[in-house]
Amino acid sequence: MLSLKKYLTEGLLQFTILLSLIGVRVDVDTYLTSQLPPLREIILGPSSAYTQTQFHNLRNTLDGYGIHPKSIDLDNYFTARRLLSQVRALDRFQVPTTEVNAWLVHRDPEGSVSGSQPSSGLTLESSSGLQDVTGPDNGVRESETEQGFSEDLEDLGAVAPPVSGDLTKEDIDLIDILWRQDIDLGAGREIFDYSHRQKEQDVDKDLQDGAEREDTWSGEGAEALARNLLVDGETGESFPAQVPGGEDQTALSLEECLRLLEATCPFGENAEAMEVNTSTSEILYSAPPGDPLSTNYSLAPNTPINQNVSLHQASLGGCSQDFSLFSPEVESLPAASSSALLPLVPSNSTSLNSTFGSTNLAGLFFPPQLNGTANDTAGPELPDPLGGLLDEAMLDEISLMDLAIEEGFNPVQASQLEEEFDSDSGLSLDSSHSPSSLSSSEGSSSSSSSSSSSSASSSSSASSSASSSFSEEGAVGYSSDSETLDLEEAEGAVGYQPEYSKLCRMSYQDPSPLSCLPYLEHVGHNHTYNMAPSALDAADLPPPGALKKGGKEKQADFLDKQMSRDEHRARAMKIPFTNDKIINLPVEEFNELLSKYQLSEAQLSLIRDIRRRGKNKMAAQNCRKRKLDTILNLERDVEDLQRDKARLLREKVEFLRSLRQMKQKVQSLYQEVFGRLRDENGRPYSPSQYALQYAGDGSVLLIPRTLADQQARRQERKPKDRRKKKIQDSSKACYTSDK
DNA sequence: TCGCGCTGTCATAGG
DNA sequence: AACCTATGACAGCGC
């Protein structure tokens, strides 16, 4: 027979393993250190939650009725545990609001730039003041990020220790993955940093205030554009976006661009929510606060990502006389461009770097097809403008299939999930936790943990009427009074006065409805240990008068069969008080009771054995019930975690969908911008020969496609190498830890 | 007859 | 030290 110990121990271990397999980190340390006892109990042995319960004291104070001495602790524990699980789930997948703003503006020859300014969300534009906020200090940024992450958690109602101290490597890796995805999409790591965003919003306010004082600027967002200080999303560096005056390069009809964008993009009325200095500069595109881009790109109002996609300061082409597009400082900068390299943005600007991370626009912005006159079908096949960005992110790292495999969801489920989301069917993965399943779970819980419910019923029924409990079992003719009388009559025991109603107190959780009636307990065991032969003989002897077949005798026989062995022994040894008293009286009262009677050594020995066995019996019942409760609660936790996981997976699918939308929008924007670029002769650039490239230093360059292709390939290689190295490191760590 | 689950009991550890 | 509880292990019983 499989021992109960082995069964339960392995069962708990299996649950733990199951939790790990489904991707839930069983943070034993948390439980070992958080005053949450059960797992510690399981692993290290009993302590607080499973500490001894003074049942006799409970009985003394509360009479022991309906008391589940462990339930309170267990409930608290599992509630806390669920919260911790949810917190952990949140810190792994909850992505803070992401707003990616980008502007396309145009700078007039005097350096005046008009534009509008997004007011909230991820502020990619910056000012000199923003440099102080973000700073180049990555260490500070990291801490801010994590702090902000923690705040996000707290905003969600979760209480968690400081993230920096609690995040495991897995968590950090997940954050990094999400961060890289957002970086690849143009969102800086600061999107995870609520405080950082707050600061930037404050800066925005300052900028707006400054803009009101600046007559140079026509629009409120112009101030930010004027300063053109950009935040590198990856490094956190802030620097001004500048365009060396490439006077001989691209000419862009910005009025046309503006009109075009107003027509093609749903920003028309916002483009009107800004002032355009048409005389000197034109705003190619502007995305004011709360602008339509958010409308376009954001999902449902409660969607965690609010994607404002715009191209801050990605102004292209001033006029034929002035290629510099952005800041006033441009004029002071030398025209560094050549015929091959057409810098559109000064080298110290990282506006787009902030928006798109370090992604090379050569890979980012190559449209598969460029409309307009620039089409060159004879040219090389144009890559997907966002191929390096979203394909990498979506297909390589966060594809649903990967997600399904990595996180234990089968691919079919994942694809169904995606379909479900795409169809907006509203189907919920929570079906696994439907009310029916819940009820069934609860039902199984209550049924399998019958000890608790039955104990309650037994206690209540016994306290009110023992006969009612008895009749429920089909027996008739019993009442405690009559039973007492019958027993006295039949047994003739000296001083034997069973108080069965009191016996009901023996166990607060006796699993048997008959437990309050020990003599009805079905005990067929033949434990003859610790029994003197004489006592055994006496116990086995039929009681006097048992041969008579009267009704009372039949009842007596029946009751006699229902009595426990210890009761038989006590009766045989003529113990003058009930086993209930023997077992449940506090030791002082128990000793006092013993002192009232003249008992033989054999009687005293039996009484002590009865007391010991009776207490141990209850303890064993409690122990088994606790094990069962623990298993059931673990089962419920697994269900909860699976439900959370399904929700998170659904959210992830939503993110992926929004990423696709962003990809499409950025792609079309690239096409529009590129299509409007004109060389000094007023001719469009060929997309097969030129491409916009976003250099690592923040510049936006119009470069030959061959060069752009090379750089794009180089960019693609880097993340893969990094991942490969990471895997090697982790495997090395595993190997080390195994050793 | 065998396997399984339930129950009681013992032995032991620990509070 | 005595007492109590918790729990692993074992055995008996009924199904």
Side-chain angles (χ1 to χ4, degrees), chain A residues 324-560:
Chain A
S324 65
L325 298 175
F326 296 107
S327 71
E329 297 96 305
V330 165
E331 288 147 346
S332 64
L333 295 172
S337 62
S338 66
S339 59
L341 291 177
L342 307 178
L344 303 180
V345 178
S347 61
N348 59 346
S349 169
T350 57
S351 171
L352 286 175
N353 204 13
S354 177
T355 305
F356 298 101
S358 59
T359 304
N360 191 337
L361 278 187
L364 175 68
F365 274 166
F366 288 165
Q369 282 185 330
L370 289 182
N371 57 357
T373 59
N375 281 344
D376 187 348
T377 55
E381 185 175 346
L382 297 177
D384 185 340
L386 293 180
L389 184 146
L390 288 178
D391 288 352
E392 181 77 15
M394 295 170 64
L395 300 181
D396 197 13
E397 285 199 59
I398 58 171
S399 71
L400 278 176
M401 293 305 109
D402 283 352
L403 182 71
I405 293 170
E406 290 173 3
E407 304 194 2
F409 281 79
N410 79 52
V412 176
Q413 183 185 1
S415 60
Q416 286 175 346
L417 182 67
E418 189 175 20
E419 291 173 5
E420 166 194 314
F421 176 80
D422 288 340
S423 66
D424 290 328
S425 65
L427 289 177
S428 171
L429 283 181
D430 291 358
S431 57
S432 64
H433 197 74
S434 63
S436 60
S437 67
L438 178 64
S439 61
S440 68
S441 171
E442 294 298 320
S444 66
S445 171
S446 61
S447 62
S448 46
S449 62
S450 59
S451 56
S452 61
S453 58
S454 61
S455 66
S457 64
S458 65
S459 297
S460 60
S461 62
S463 60
S464 59
S465 167
S467 61
S468 64
S469 173
F470 183 53
S471 59
E472 283 177 5
E473 297 299 320
V476 292
Y478 168 76
S479 72
S480 55
D481 292 340
S482 64
E483 192 277 340
T484 302
L485 189 63
D486 290 344
L487 277 181
E488 282 184 292
E489 205 172 359
E491 307 297 330
V494 179
Y496 190 76
Q497 298 175 347
E499 297 176 16
Y500 293 105
S501 62
K502 290 183 180 177
L503 290 180
C504 300
R505 305 175 188 168
M506 282 180 60
S507 172
Y508 73 95
Q509 56 176 12
D510 196 311
S512 168
L514 300 176
S515 62
C516 63
L517 306 172
Y519 63 95
L520 295 178
E521 232 176 357
H522 181 84
V523 177
H525 299 174
N526 184 23
H527 297 281
T528 56
Y529 32 76
N530 287 352
M531 291 292 289
S534 60
L536 286 175
D537 293 341
D540 292 337
L541 286 176
L547 295 177
K548 299 178 181 178
K549 295 300 178 184
K552 285 186 178 180
E553 288 163 357
K554 284 185 179 178
Q555 288 182 25
D557 285 345
F558 178 80
L559 295 173
D560 187 67

Side-chain angles (χ1 to χ4, degrees), chain A residues 4-5 8 12 46 50-51 53 55 68-70 74 451 507-509 511 615-631:
Chain A
L4 183 62
K5 173 187 177 182
L8 289 171
L12 292 177
Y50 287 150
T51 48
T53 303
F55 291 102
H68 189 325
K70 304 305 178 189
L74 285 174
S451 56
S507 172
Y508 73 95
Q509 56 176 12
K615 287 186 175 298
N616 190 252
K617 176 182 172 181
M618 288 188 296
Q621 290 168 350
N622 294 338
C623 183
R624 285 161 181 154
K625 183 188 179 303
R626 270 192 300 278
K627 286 179 180 175
L628 189 60
D629 288 345
T630 300
I631 291 172

Side-chain angles (χ1 to χ4, degrees), chain A residues 4 37 57 64 76 118 206 238 255 296 319 370 441 547 591 628 710:
Chain A
L4 183 62
N57 292 337
N76 288 337
D206 294 340
S238 300
E255 285 182 350
N296 284 334
C319 61
L370 289 182
S441 171
L547 295 177
N591 291 331
L628 189 60
Q710 290 177 2

